Amino acid sequence: MDVLIKLSDTPGNLEFPVEIKHMHGEITEKEFYMKLEDLVAELSNAISNKAKAIVETPILPKECVKHVWLDYSGAVQQVTIDVPKAQHTIHYNNKKLTDVGFPRLLFTYQISHEVCQLTNIVAVKGVGRMKPSTPLYHFPYSHVSLDGDVCMGTNTFPVTKEITVLATYHSLFFNAPFGSDYGAKSTTGMPINKLFEQAENQPFNEEWLLPINQTFQEYFHYKK
């Protein structure tokens, strides 16, 4: 059944200007008129009852630190994964670099109708539990802007039916070829090629991290 609400600038009845029709296909099953204030009250109650309904998350991936539904239908969601500090073999400008140090990172994905995009990456110091007050830092290498936006080029993620698989998707980012897009962002001031050379075959030096000057709460608009 469809509900058709009609408001005319020249209503036939000024006291009851809202026309309501219950439609089944092309057939009108019920037709009646309402006061405008009664319609507003009915819609407000419907929205209030929907807001009070329980919103259940899916099974969350390992190391998930934030999950947000971006629409009421449950078709679009945002998931942030805590990726520990590690060393990864990467390819930069067609050259293989072995065991490049990367800091602890937060990868944020957006999944819409099973299509996954990596939208943001920011860095974190240390290994402690994530808190609203945890300070955040810029991703130090290329392919991520100063705002944290990610450029993956033509590289895409698989169809994502279950978000539990996001716990491993960061490996797809590290395996994608690195270029010079957005450049380096570190306290060293080194260009991206030099920074990669310095970080090869050793853990990432966290003193290189450039602060965003925002906490986890501020960056992700987290509410207690």
Side-chain angles (χ1 to χ4, degrees), residues 111 113-116 156-162 165 169:
I111 303 92
H113 300 280
E114 301 181 355
V115 175
C116 179
T156 59
F157 292 97
V159 172
T160 305
K161 297 180 181 292
E162 303 289 341
V165 298
Y169 272 15

Side-chain angles (χ1 to χ4, degrees), residues 105-119:
L105 300 168
L106 298 179
F107 278 62
T108 298
Y109 303 90
Q110 183 167 306
I111 303 92
S112 176
H113 300 280
E114 301 181 355
V115 175
C116 179
Q117 289 182 303
L118 174 58
T119 58

Side-chain angles (χ1 to χ4, degrees), residues 111-140:
I111 303 92
S112 176
H113 300 280
E114 301 181 355
V115 175
C116 179
Q117 289 182 303
L118 174 58
T119 58
N120 292 80
I121 301 177
V122 292
V124 182
K125 284 186 178 181
V127 295
R129 182 176 64 86
M130 197 64 57
K131 300 177 182 178
S133 59
T134 299
L136 301 181
Y137 300 83
H138 290 286
F139 180 77

Side-chain angles (χ1 to χ4, degrees), residues 28-76:
T28 301
E29 294 185 338
K30 188 176 182 181
E31 181 177 0
F32 56 97
Y33 295 84
M34 296 179 67
K35 293 181 178 180
L36 183 58
E37 55 266 34
D38 290 340
L39 173 64
V40 172
E42 288 289 336
L43 294 175
S44 296
N45 287 335
I47 293 171
S48 177
N49 290 334
K50 190 174 186 67
K52 293 175 183 176
I54 294 173
V55 179
E56 185 178 356
T57 70
I59 297 175
L60 299 177
K62 186 179 180 182
E63 305 302 337
C64 175
V65 293
K66 190 171 179 66
H67 177 278
V68 180
W69 290 114
L70 297 181
D71 71 338
Y72 282 119
S73 71
V76 185

